[in-house]
């Protein structure tokens, strides 16, 4: 069982009040049962902390489950420990006072020293090495010889011989030092002195009586060896109590959270007076157009289609319109058909399995609003999912809109998965990554160049200040010189300006620091231009296969584009181009309950995903964003990282939220104006209603 603070940790026992119909929570790897979810979560997070130690190997900084796996592997190796070495090892371990490392090293060295009867090793015969087995040890006039039996591959005896000790080579021990240490830990119940289990000692005939030199240090109580410690006198106890008063005070401070080093595990953060300033976390909205259990797939498909719209030749569309279109019962909605057609066209270009399927059926490689369902059925029949292919008959009859939303999303998810696996899409991603690296390198060079210029300006300013100080020192020395202009000492001092002044002022040289820095700056500029020319010359189309050459070529082209822009324009241009090379969206982070938070570029909201991905919500106003940000506790590891990410993208998130609120208000105003103008007897056409804007979608980026 894993150790906690060098001691075994007792598992909790289930309450006796449990009934067969009660709902309980069970920890998978300990089989502990809890009726209260908070107790279950507290114990589970305690097991997830890296404070556990493997009992057999001594490995620390493990979680409970990692320690269990380590003990399982170690126990398998211990069970394979050679039986012929067990007694010899246990005799050396019993009542040994050596540390574990020294004890294992001494035992391993001792096991390799003597050559005893029955040992299998290697011996020299005819200048070659063969396996053999010692049959008998012969000693004659202080010279030891060994009668060995030569063995073949099947360990059958092929002959006998008499050899010297130097002609024999012992094989390596059939176990490592780590296995030996694990065997020692498993065989003993205490260390220094090491004492093996009583049953194991009786089984191998090993004495359990401590040696004479240890009788004063240890004693036996109830058959267990314990340390013999003299009781302290009352005076000594008072001194010890006074010395430990400060220690107890520190422990109280740690319990109060005064000396704890933050951040720590979020669930271990104890409430304090500082936490009262944290605002209450707002409840996220959950009014999605699609069912709750398929929001994750819904967001994934929408994010893929809008983020890679240029590559798919698919115009972007709001997330609400996508949800309304999926829930609509019409089978030939333009938004739905264009999404499917764009993904199917991508699979056609890949020349993969789908392209081969269409070729066998002799279909035209052109999808229209009328034929898109046939191409979709071909894809579903090609895929392995029998659940999806069962809906082909419904789709062929023109009733796609009658399918359940779950089925529609599963079909789209399957299309996205195949699109991600296509070679065409992977090549496009590689190009995006290369371009993103080139723009990032150009941005990094801009930062380095800006830092170099600041350092250069600072150095020039220091040189100018030094020059002014030296000039002032020269004037002061000129004022202090005698009126006699023929004084030779002062004339030499005036002419030789390279000498050091005695009053501590800085010496002057023939070339002033300002001029030298200008010349150095000019040389640096010329060297940089020459280096750039060399780079342009080296990066030729012949070396385009080299990724470094390609990156240099792209970076030089980027620098030429931004050369005539000012500092702020260059920064905005590089950031904008890096965002265009979209690869993937990562969550902003997790809170203390492992809820993930997402922000998508084309939607201003912050989406909240539960730890099991079954529940979703969102924040859609700046007030909710501020309240959520103020509710994050920086003492926890996860919430501190999440708060940093939200603060990093705060301006961008607020801009998206304000834009979304503005669009929503405009729609409401249009609806109110339309309701006021139209008569109660005459209704406006369906397409004039902003709620039915998804019916107006047109794909302006579609391929002809």
């Amino acid at each position: 069982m894993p150790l906690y603070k060098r001691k075994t940790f007792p598992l909790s026992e289930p309450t006796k009040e449990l009934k067969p119909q009660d709902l309980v929570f069970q920890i998978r790897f300990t089989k502990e049962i809890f009726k209260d979810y908070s107790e279950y979560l507290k114990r589970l997070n305690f097991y997830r902390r890296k404070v556990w130690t493997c009992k057999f190997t001594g490995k620390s900084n493990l979680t409970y489950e990692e320690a269990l796996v380590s003990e399982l592997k170690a126990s398998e190796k211990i069970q394979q420990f050679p039986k012929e070495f067990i007694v010899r090892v246990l005799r050396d371990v019993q009542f040994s006072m050596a540390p574990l490392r020294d004890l294992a090293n001494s035992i391993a060295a001792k096991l390799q020293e003597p050559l005893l009867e029955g040992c299998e090793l290697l011996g020299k015969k005819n200048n070659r090495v063969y396996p053999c087995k010692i049959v008998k040890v012969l000693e004659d006039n202080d010279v030891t010889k060994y009668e060995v039996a030569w063995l073949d591959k099947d360990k059958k005896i092929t002959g006998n011989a008499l050899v010297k000790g130097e002609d024999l080579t012992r094989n390596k021990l059939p176990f490592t030092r780590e296995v030996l240490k694990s065997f020692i830990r498993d065989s003993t119940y205490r260390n220094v002195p090491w004492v093996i289990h009583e049953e194991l000692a009786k089984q191998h005939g090993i004495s359990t009586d401590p040696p004479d030199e240890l009788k004063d240090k240890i004693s036996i109580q109830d058959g267990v060896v314990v340390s013999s410690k003299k009781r302290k006198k009352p005076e000594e106890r008072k001194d010890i109590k006074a010395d430990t008063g400060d220690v107890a005070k520190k422990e109280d401070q740690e319990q109060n959270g005064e000396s704890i080093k933050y951040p720590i595990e979020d669930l271990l953060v104890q409430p304090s007076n500082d936490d009262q300033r944290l605002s209450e976390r707002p409840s996220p909205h959950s009014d999605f157009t699609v069912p709750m259990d398929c929001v994750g797939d819904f967001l994934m498909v929408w994010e893929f289609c809008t983020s890679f719209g240029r590559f798919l030749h698919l115009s972007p569309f709001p997330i609400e319109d996508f949800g309304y279109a999926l829930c609509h019962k019409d089978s030939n909605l333009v938004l739905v058909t264009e999404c499917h057609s764009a993904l199917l066209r991508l699979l056609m270009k890949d020349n993969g399995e789908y392209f081969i399927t269409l070729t066998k059926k002799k279909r035209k490689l052109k999808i229209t609003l009328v034929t898109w369902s046939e191409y979709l059925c071909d894809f579903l029949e090609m895929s392995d999912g029998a659940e999806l292919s069962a809906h082909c008959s419904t789709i062929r009859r023109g009733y796609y809109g009658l399918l359940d939303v779950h089925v529609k999303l599963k079909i789209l998810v399957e299309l996205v998965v195949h699109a991600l696996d296509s070679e065409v899409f992977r090549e496009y991603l590689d190009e995006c990554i290369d371009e993103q690296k080139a723009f990032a390198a150009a941005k990094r060079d801009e930062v380095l160049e800006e830092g170099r210029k600041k350092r250069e300006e600072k150095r020039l300013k220091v040189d100018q200040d030094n020059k002014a100080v030296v000039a002032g020192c020269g004037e002061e020395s000129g004022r202090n010189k005698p009126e006699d202009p023929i004084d030779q000492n002062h004339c030499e001092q005036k002419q030789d300006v390279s000498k050091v002044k005695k009053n501590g002022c800085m010496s002057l040289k023939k070339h002033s620091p300002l001029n030298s820095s200008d010349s150095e700056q000019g040389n640096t500029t010329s060297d940089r231009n020459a280096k750039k020319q060399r780079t342009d010359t080296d990066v030729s189309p012949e070396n385009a296969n080299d990724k470094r050459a390609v990156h240099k070529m792209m970076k030089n082209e980027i620098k030429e584009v931004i050369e005539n822009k000012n500092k702020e324009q260059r920064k905005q241009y590089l950031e904008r181009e890096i965002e265009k090379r979209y690869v993937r969206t990562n969550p902003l982070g997790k809170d203390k309950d492992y809820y993930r938070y997402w922000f998508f570029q084309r939607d201003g909201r912050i989406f909240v995903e539960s730890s099991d991905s079954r529940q979703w919500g969102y924040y859609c106003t700046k007030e909710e964003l501020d309240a959520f940000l103020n509710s994050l506790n920086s003492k926890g590891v996860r919430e501190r990282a999440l708060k940093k990410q939200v603060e990093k993208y705060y301006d961008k998130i607020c801009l998206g939220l304000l834009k979304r609120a503005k669009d929503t208000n405009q729609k409401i105003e249009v609806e109110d104006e339309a309701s006021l103008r139209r008569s109660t007897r005459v209704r406006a056409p369906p397409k004039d209603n902003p709620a039915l804007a998804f019916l107006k979608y047109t794909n302006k980026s579609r391929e002809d």
Side-chain angles (χ1 to χ4, degrees):
M1 181 176 290
L3 304 179
Y4 175 67
K5 293 183 178 180
R6 299 183 181 181
K7 296 180 181 179
T8 56
F9 185 78
L11 301 179
S12 63
E13 298 181 358
T15 58
K16 298 180 180 179
E17 300 176 356
L18 284 178
K19 298 179 182 179
Q21 64 271 17
D22 289 344
L23 296 176
V24 295
F25 304 93
Q26 186 181 40
I27 297 179
R28 170 175 46 83
F29 43 85
T30 61
K31 307 302 179 184
E32 293 175 286
I33 295 175
F34 298 89
K35 194 172 181 180
D36 187 8
Y37 179 73
S38 60
E39 294 181 2
Y40 159 79
L41 188 62
K42 185 177 180 180
R43 179 60 65 91
L44 182 61
N45 285 294
F46 179 58
Y47 287 149
R48 288 174 176 170
R49 292 176 57 193
K50 291 184 175 292
V51 295
W52 302 92
T53 304
C54 176
K55 179 182 178 181
F56 298 139
T57 63
K59 293 181 181 178
S60 57
N61 296 329
L62 303 175
T63 63
Y64 192 93
E65 193 170 7
E66 290 172 348
L68 280 177
V69 174
S70 178
E71 289 184 356
L72 180 62
K73 293 180 180 179
S75 63
E76 292 176 355
K77 294 180 180 179
I78 291 172
Q79 292 175 0
Q80 298 174 0
F81 196 83
K83 295 181 180 180
E84 59 270 19
F85 294 102
I86 291 179
V87 177
R88 298 174 61 186
V89 171
L90 293 180
R91 285 177 181 171
D92 292 338
V93 170
Q94 184 74 313
F95 298 114
S96 174
M97 297 292 292
L100 180 60
R101 180 184 298 177
D102 298 340
L103 179 61
N105 291 339
S106 62
I107 292 175
K110 189 175 180 180
L111 292 176
Q112 287 183 327
E113 282 180 1
L115 299 177
L116 305 176
E117 296 180 2
C119 292
E120 294 184 3
L121 57 163
L122 300 175
K124 288 185 179 179
K125 182 174 70 170
N126 299 330
N127 295 326
R128 294 185 66 181
V129 179
Y130 295 93
C132 62
K133 182 179 181 180
I134 297 178
V135 179
K136 194 173 183 180
V137 180
L138 303 175
E139 295 183 2
D140 185 14
N141 297 329
D142 297 334
V143 177
T144 305
K145 293 186 178 181
Y146 302 91
E147 182 181 351
V148 299
W150 304 107
L151 305 176
D152 58 5
K153 295 181 179 179
D154 299 330
K155 293 189 177 183
K156 294 182 179 180
I157 299 175
T158 59
N160 293 351
L162 193 64
V163 297
K164 298 180 180 179
E166 54 267 22
D167 294 334
L168 296 176
T169 304
R170 173 182 278 280
N171 293 328
K172 291 184 179 180
L173 290 174
F175 51 85
T176 62
R177 302 284 175 92
E178 297 301 324
V179 174
L180 179 59
K181 291 178 183 179
S182 300
F183 176 75
I184 294 173
R185 287 194 185 96
D186 183 48
S187 304
T188 56
Y189 65 86
R190 67 159 295 150
N191 56 358
V192 190
W194 296 90
V195 183
I196 64 176
H197 297 289
E198 185 177 1
E199 296 179 357
L200 195 62
K202 291 180 179 180
Q203 181 181 353
H204 297 284
I206 298 173
S207 175
T208 56
D209 297 330
D212 296 336
E213 60 271 16
L214 294 179
K215 288 184 178 180
D216 297 336
K217 299 180 180 180
I218 61 175
S219 61
I220 300 177
Q221 296 180 2
D222 299 329
V224 179
V225 175
V226 296
S227 298
S228 296
K229 294 183 180 180
K230 296 181 179 179
R231 290 188 175 182
K232 301 290 183 181
K233 295 180 180 180
E235 296 81 6
E236 295 177 351
R237 292 179 189 172
K238 290 180 181 179
D239 295 337
I240 294 173
K241 186 176 181 180
D243 294 336
T244 56
D246 295 335
V247 177
K249 187 177 180 179
K250 290 181 180 179
E251 291 178 355
D252 293 338
Q253 289 178 350
E254 290 182 357
Q255 291 178 359
N256 294 330
E258 297 178 4
S259 61
I260 299 176
K261 292 183 179 180
Y262 295 106
I264 61 174
E265 166 61 35
D266 296 73
L267 297 175
L268 298 177
V269 176
Q270 298 295 330
S272 62
N273 295 330
D274 296 336
D275 298 336
Q276 294 179 359
R277 294 179 296 177
L278 299 176
S279 62
E280 185 178 356
R281 188 161 304 176
S283 300
H285 303 279
S286 59
D287 51 336
F288 293 98
T289 54
V290 297
M292 181 63 70
D293 56 348
C294 57
V295 172
D297 293 338
F298 169 70
L299 291 175
M300 186 269 287
V301 174
W302 172 82
E303 170 71 359
F304 180 83
C305 292
T306 53
S307 300
F308 298 103
R310 289 187 178 182
F311 179 69
L312 296 171
H313 298 281
L314 186 65
S315 299
F317 44 86
I319 192 170
E320 291 86 356
D321 290 358
F322 186 52
Y324 290 138
L326 287 176
C327 297
H328 204 269
K329 299 301 181 181
D330 192 353
S331 299
N332 288 318
L333 284 177
V334 178
L335 180 55
V336 175
T337 57
E338 288 295 336
C339 288
H340 288 82
S341 301
L343 295 170
L344 292 172
R345 288 192 198 99
L346 175 62
L347 298 180
M348 287 180 185
K349 296 177 183 177
D350 190 45
N351 296 332
E353 186 180 358
Y354 183 63
F355 176 78
I356 296 172
T357 303
L358 295 181
T359 305
K360 290 180 179 179
K361 293 188 176 183
K362 298 181 180 181
R363 292 198 184 275
K364 296 180 181 180
L365 300 181
K366 186 176 182 180
I367 303 176
T368 63
L369 186 63
V370 178
T371 62
W372 74 276
S373 58
E374 292 294 331
Y375 289 88
L376 178 59
C377 291
D378 293 338
F379 169 78
L380 296 177
E381 291 173 351
M382 176 202 72
S383 59
D384 298 332
E387 181 182 356
L388 297 179
S389 59
H391 302 283
C392 288
S393 59
T394 304
I395 297 173
R396 278 198 175 95
R397 291 198 305 269
Y399 298 124
Y400 171 85
L402 299 180
L403 294 177
D404 191 61
V405 178
H406 297 80
V407 178
K408 294 178 182 179
L409 279 171
K410 285 183 180 179
I411 293 173
L412 285 169
V413 168
E414 191 72 17
L415 282 168
V416 171
V417 170
H418 279 74
L420 289 170
D421 291 336
S422 62
E423 291 293 332
V424 179
F425 185 75
R426 289 182 178 274
E427 291 175 2
Y428 170 75
L429 280 185
D430 291 339
E431 293 177 3
C432 289
I433 292 171
D434 292 339
E435 293 176 2
Q436 199 178 64
K437 287 182 179 179
F439 278 103
K443 183 179 178 181
R444 185 167 56 251
D445 291 346
E446 284 288 317
V447 175
L448 294 175
E449 184 68 18
E450 184 181 352
R452 187 194 65 76
K453 287 181 179 179
K454 288 182 179 179
R455 291 193 299 270
E456 188 71 21
E457 292 174 358
K458 186 177 180 180
R459 188 172 67 84
L460 289 174
K461 186 178 180 181
V462 172
D463 292 343
Q464 289 176 355
D465 294 342
N466 292 335
K467 185 179 179 181
V469 171
V470 173
C473 293
E475 292 177 359
E476 184 180 356
S477 61
R479 288 195 301 269
N480 294 333
K481 70 180 180 179
E483 296 179 358
D484 188 3
I486 310 177
D487 192 349
Q488 297 294 328
N489 294 331
H490 293 286
C491 291
E492 291 176 0
Q493 185 179 15
K494 182 178 180 180
Q495 293 175 357
D496 191 6
V497 295
S498 63
K499 293 182 179 180
V500 180
K501 303 292 181 181
K502 292 183 180 181
N503 56 9
C505 295
M506 186 176 180
S507 64
L508 293 175
K509 297 184 179 179
K510 294 183 180 179
H511 300 285
S512 66
L514 183 60
N515 295 332
S516 64
S517 63
D518 291 340
S519 61
E520 289 175 4
Q521 186 177 4
N523 294 334
T524 305
T525 306
S526 60
D527 293 343
R528 188 167 63 252
N529 293 333
K531 183 177 180 182
K532 182 178 178 180
Q533 292 176 359
R534 289 196 300 271
T535 304
D536 294 340
T537 305
D538 295 340
V539 180
S540 60
E542 297 175 357
N543 300 327
N545 293 330
D546 187 3
K547 282 192 174 182
R548 292 185 179 179
V550 174
H551 288 165
K552 286 183 180 179
M553 189 181 299
M554 295 170 64
K555 188 169 69 172
N556 293 336
E557 292 176 357
I558 295 169
K559 288 184 177 180
E560 291 178 0
V561 174
I562 64 176
E563 187 175 2
N564 297 326
K565 299 179 184 291
N566 58 34
K567 175 184 172 183
E568 191 62 29
Q569 288 176 343
R570 288 198 299 267
K571 182 179 179 182
Q572 292 178 0
Y573 172 78
L574 292 174
E575 290 180 352
R576 186 169 59 251
E577 292 299 323
I578 289 174
E579 288 181 359
K580 285 181 181 178
R581 275 71 183 173
Y582 169 85
V583 177
R584 61 176 295 176
T585 299
N586 294 318
L588 294 172
K590 299 179 182 179
D591 63 6
K592 63 179 181 180
D593 297 321
Y594 294 93
Y595 278 43
R596 287 179 286 271
Y597 293 81
W598 299 84
F599 173 69
F600 303 113
Q601 296 289 342
R602 295 184 179 274
D603 190 271
R605 294 174 290 184
I606 288 185
F607 290 90
V608 186
E609 179 188 6
S610 64
S611 57
D612 57 359
S613 302
R614 294 181 179 178
Q615 296 294 324
W616 286 82
Y618 62 88
Y619 297 129
C620 59
T621 63
K622 186 176 181 299
E623 292 75 15
E624 292 176 345
L625 174 64
D626 293 336
F628 164 68
L629 187 61
N630 294 329
S631 69
L632 296 174
N633 195 336
S634 298
K635 294 180 180 180
V637 179
R638 291 186 296 278
E639 294 205 351
R640 171 174 287 197
L642 175 60
K643 189 172 184 178
K644 285 183 178 179
Q645 285 296 102
V646 175
E647 290 175 347
K648 180 180 179 181
Y649 298 102
Y650 181 80
D651 295 336
K652 190 177 293 185
I653 296 172
C654 288
L655 186 63
L657 291 175
L658 293 175
K659 183 180 178 182
R660 179 181 177 81
K662 184 178 179 181
D663 294 341
T664 304
N665 292 333
Q666 286 180 353
K667 289 182 180 180
I668 294 173
E669 290 176 1
V670 171
E671 289 181 1
D672 293 341
E673 186 178 357
S675 62
L676 290 174
R677 286 185 178 180
R678 66 175 176 247
S679 172
T680 55
R681 296 182 180 179
V682 181
R683 294 186 179 180
K687 291 188 178 181
D688 294 340
N689 188 350
L692 301 176
F694 65 96
L695 298 174
K696 299 180 181 180
Y697 174 80
T698 55
N699 187 9
K700 299 178 182 179
S701 303
R702 180 174 178 174
E703 292 179 298
D704 295 333

